[in-house]
Amino acid sequence: MLESIKNWASDFFVTGDPLIYGADAAIIITLVAIVFVLTYFKKWGWLWRNWLTTVDHKKVGIMYILSAFLMMFRGGVDALLMRTQLAMPELQFLQPDHYNEIFTTHGVIMILFMAMPFMFGLFNVAVPLQLGARDVAYPFMNALSFWLFFAGAMLFNLSFVIGGSPDAGWLAYPPYSELMYNPGVGQDFYIWGIQISGIGSLMTGINFIVTILKLRAPGMKLMKMPMFSWSVLASCIAIIFSFPILTATLALLFLDRYGGAHFFTLDGGGNPMMYINLIWMWGHPEVYIIVLPAFGIFSEVVSTFSRKKLFGYKSMVYAMMIISILSFLVWAHHFFTMGSGANVNAFFALSTMVIAIPTGVKVFNWLFTMFRGRISFESPMLWTTGFIPCFVIGGMTGVLLSVAPADFQYHNSYFLIAHFHQVIIGGVVFGYFAGLYYWWPKLFGFKLNERIGKWAFWFWNIGFYLCFMPQYVLGLDGMTRRLVTYSWDKGWWGLNLVSSIGAGLMGIAFLFQVWQIVHGIKHYRSNMDTTGDPWDGRTLEWSIPSPAPHYNFAVLPQVSDQDEWWEEKQRRQKEGYTAVAPELSPIHMPNNSGIPIMMAGCWFLAGFGFVFHWLWLIIPGLAGVALCMLAHSFNYDTDHYIPVEDIKHTEASLRGAANL
Amino acid sequence: MKEKVIKSLRCLAFLAVLVLLLPALSGCSSIAVLDPKGPIAAQQRDLMFLSTVLCAIVIVPVLILSAVIIWRYRDKADRKAAYTPDWAHSTKLEMIWWGIPIIIILTLAIVTARATYALEPSKPLESKADVKPLTVQVTSLNWKWLFQYPEQGIASVNELKIPQGVPVRFEITADSPMNSFWIPQLGGQIYAMSGMAMTLYLQADETGQYWGSGANFTGTDFAKMFFDVHAVTAEEFTDWVEDVKKDSPTLTLDGYKQLAEPSASEKLTYSSFPEGLFEMTVTKYASSHHHGMSMSGSTEAHGDKPMSSDDSGHGDMLKSGDQSEHGDMRMSGDQLEHGGMSMNEGSAH
């Protein structure tokens, strides 16, 4: 009996690696500490009422960003482990199988559980405020989206201490991801972690399309909408077309593994190539999904910190929409060397290159927004200036990769690794940082320390170039991706060592950012944003106090210009301007709900059951999901009105009396 | 403070340029892809240089422009630079930066399209001296490369010998998860996939030792899938073939099955191999069910006749063993969990 339990446990838990025992201990200590702190300070009720059940888009956004930071830590540790292993030839720091798990989880976590939630967090934080709206279109669904993402991310992360991590690469190409080569549970964790959070992503896409199309403040025509909201619209359109493909693809892979189907195996009439086509039909739009909102952020930031109107607004909008559409026409460039033939390769090479045109246009427009402006270099702008050279070089190497016959030499090499890290870190990560620093005062009511922020910025940038520039050369010298080690005679060690040092610098940069946030919270009183408009902003979110009240706008703004708040400030300075005291009326708001977190919890259980083929857990899990849906359908107490008195009280305490 | 930022920005720009120039400074000759030893790799390198130059026409001015604009229009107390907060549109300017990239991408597109057809991997190489191409059949195994020389009747593992100046027709397949066959100094890679025979023509113009690798991840010992490539004179090649024929063991069907077991391997040579082994490997994945496998379609795109699944009498020899292994694994998920699996247990955890 005892023996069989022991056997089961050594199978169930991942054993034998000191790194993982360390992680086990860290997880348990952290959990105990959290429970202790919450109990000691009697904060359970506060946590439940204010955060876990909230449907306030700003709080949902904060939870997204917090999760993204945690995941960035996890993915970053993975990256550092890999770079440590590769720092010198023939190191034995990580065993091949462990290394394979690490690069797989690094990729999945960074794209799906770091970039995506960071992006959704910024959507939530900024879009309704920019639109002059009081909420997103479907607040309940928004909270549910977050909790589904969270459940999926946790399920995926659990794999490295329970059952074993996936090791088939971040896109899990069959046949390697099929049962015959990959019999463990890691791949099932991959499928269910992504599936569950994917439902959330799709719902977020729908939610923000509807929000943008239906909830803009009166007078805000589409062509007067702030550029970040435009980018969110473009990104969400791509989401609703691409995520269903991902869902279907992973469902088919699941059927192969669980039900003995043969969609992607050669015996039985399937074909792995079908998977590779499908996964990239999602995967390529995905990279534009995450980078488009960053473009939106840069547009806001460049214009605000140059104190100038965004140059070529219409061009920017068209460029964004063109990119969103073209992103669906390029997927086959990921397998130029798979023997598609010259016709197919030529088509996808050309359609890939074409994306460089609208992207280039955007860079010129940003530059000419700065031209004849007055540029100040606070954190958000600093990240934007760091982004431009990085992204321009990354974009160029992207064009180089798209030259199909030359790609035969770049493909699967470190050249490719360097390219996509350059556009993802230089474009997406720098962009989201710019956005986070930009909207931070609006979210929390205080500014972060600029000095620490500059240290973080420089460590990130210098670390980045040191890490990835050598990788271009390594790629040209024939070093392929996903190598666990290499021999001395290849002559790759010098550049690899430099690259690993660069990775370490980026790790330090991340610590600076954590310090910056801790420092900010500690000294928030001295950095309070009392104006609500710390950057002399241009769009509507800066017209309300910081932190934004939960109903956002006491009175819905009337929009007449593109940079409405900027123009309003100009109008107020003119002579003869008389402020009209606005008429307040009760505000209609949704109620908090515990159903999203419970439903996501049920999904988590069902997913865990699917991973281990435990029918006894799958059934109650799915039943729980259904019950949550039922409970929500029959809940008629979903909304309330905030009385005028309360609004007056809140506004007075946020702005100081009679300054509405 | 702001001056400091600008100063640091300049340092960063300088650093970036320096790092970009690193390969140029260190001398291209030591970098495999930029030091081609065959016509395919040479054309690919030229294409890389050409596309880089075309891109640089836009990129370099943009980088300079960014630095200048950021420097000139920074906010400082006694600034004299113009400030036009409402200037946000200029049709002329926008025409320029929609137009120039369009022209450059158009040029690049024409170059690319032509090169795509010219360098199509299954296109036979034109050889000046009317030399008959050498065929080498490549099989990606877990985790080693098997090279068969059908005309010479010999085979080798992890070591490829080819005569210099002779076009080599590689026929590539996999008896393992998909891999990618790459010899950087001779030319770009192509995927090795089970159920298909891909064709790639390469040629070594100079004698010498190069290396190749598997470029697409295949699991545990993926990093051990490097192989040596020796380009030798015609005489040396003939000598080598004769030596192998004389001194090496034969590769039997059982021997192949053992070789195909997942593990890395040393260099090996075989004086003979079972007739039709390569065709058998290609067809065994397709022949178990006749569900209209897309194999024929995808290989035809190369102008390459697929191995028909019907004429594979010998395919069955391997098929039965293979099926019982793979087929069973797929069906009994429960069994797998409880450790009933033998083959890949190590690699999964």
Side-chain angles (χ1 to χ4, degrees), chain A residues 542-609:
Chain A
W542 306 109
S543 69
I544 54 172
S546 302
H550 61 290
Y551 48 77
N552 298 352
F553 295 87
V555 181
L556 285 187
Q558 177 71 41
V559 176
S560 54
D561 289 285
Q562 192 185 302
D563 288 339
E564 174 60 24
W565 175 237
W566 177 266
E567 300 294 336
E568 174 69 18
K569 285 189 280 191
Q570 307 294 318
R571 283 193 289 265
R572 285 184 188 178
Q573 278 172 6
K574 278 192 187 128
E575 278 191 48
Y577 176 86
T578 43
V580 194
E583 195 74 26
L584 290 178
S585 53
I587 296 174
H588 184 215
M589 293 298 283
N591 288 346
N592 283 0
S593 169
I595 291 178
I597 186 172
M598 290 193 267
M599 191 151 133
C602 293
W603 265 116
F604 179 87
L605 294 179
F608 198 72

Side-chain angles (χ1 to χ4, degrees), chain A residues 434-446:
Chain A
L436 183 65
Y437 287 109
Y438 184 56
W439 284 304
W440 184 278
K442 184 52 56 189
L443 279 177
F444 299 102
F446 62 91

